[in-house]
Amino acid sequence: MAGTAPATKIHEDDTLLAFLDIRPITRGHTLVIPKWHSGDLDKLDPALGARLFAFGHRLAKAMRRSDLRVDGANLLINDGKAAFQTVDHVHLHVVPRHSGDKLSFAKGLLLRRPHDRDSTAAAIRAGLDRLADEEKETNA
């Protein structure tokens, strides 16, 4: 992972990077990738895979709390060419969903057009902050 391609980052830590998909299916479609290369699930360290999914889960929860006002999310890994994996690096898709969005979702699969990246990323980051605040209140 050279970090040379343009990306709108949502989150970064020592092991993971989350950024908006450049060809999103829906507004807020985010990719979460491990910083260590694994071409497919067969080569992915299980503990790193658990962290990848745990952050995807957190991101989906944050999207519900964001100004995107999503009702759910699809979390998906395409593993291998047979499963339509087009990038040789494991990545988790977190695709925001809204109730009754089947037609717009199908349209998004075909068109894959970017949305306002800056406001979308800001909304998701705000959702992560809201989630962290909720967790602090719960643990206090």
Side-chain angles (χ1 to χ4, degrees):
M1 186 179 84
T4 57
T8 305
K9 291 181 187 176
I10 302 298
H11 169 83
E12 183 172 14
D13 61 29
D14 292 342
T15 57
L16 301 173
L17 175 64
F19 54 93
L20 293 178
D21 192 305
I22 60 170
R23 295 182 55 239
I25 296 170
T26 64
R27 182 175 181 222
H29 179 172
T30 301
L31 301 177
V32 183
I33 65 169
K35 287 188 170 182
W36 290 276
H37 179 68
S38 295
D40 56 37
L41 289 178
D42 210 34
K43 298 174 188 94
L44 182 66
D45 175 74
L48 184 55
R51 289 196 62 173
L52 180 75
F53 189 83
F55 185 75
H57 175 222
R58 181 171 188 75
L59 191 57
K61 288 172 61 174
M63 288 176 177
R64 287 176 181 252
R65 289 152 177 83
S66 77
D67 290 340
L68 298 179
R69 307 265 186 251
V70 305
D71 300 314
N74 290 110
L75 277 68
L76 172 75
I77 293 177
N78 298 327
D79 181 38
K81 288 184 182 185
F84 306 112
Q85 181 180 1
T86 58
V87 176
D88 184 34
H89 190 87
V90 170
H91 54 287
L92 175 67
H93 294 261
V94 181
V95 184
R97 299 296 302 267
H98 295 90
S99 296
D101 73 350
K102 289 179 184 153
L103 190 57
S104 63
F105 184 82
K107 181 180 173 185
L109 278 170
L110 296 173
L111 297 179
R112 312 250 347 228
R113 301 246 165 90
H115 303 272
D116 178 0
R117 301 177 70 71
D118 293 334
S119 69
T120 300
I124 296 169
R125 285 188 214 106
L128 284 166
D129 291 342
R130 288 180 191 131
L131 180 59
D133 290 344
E134 281 181 23
E135 291 168 344
K136 284 179 190 173
E137 288 176 18
T138 301
N139 294 328

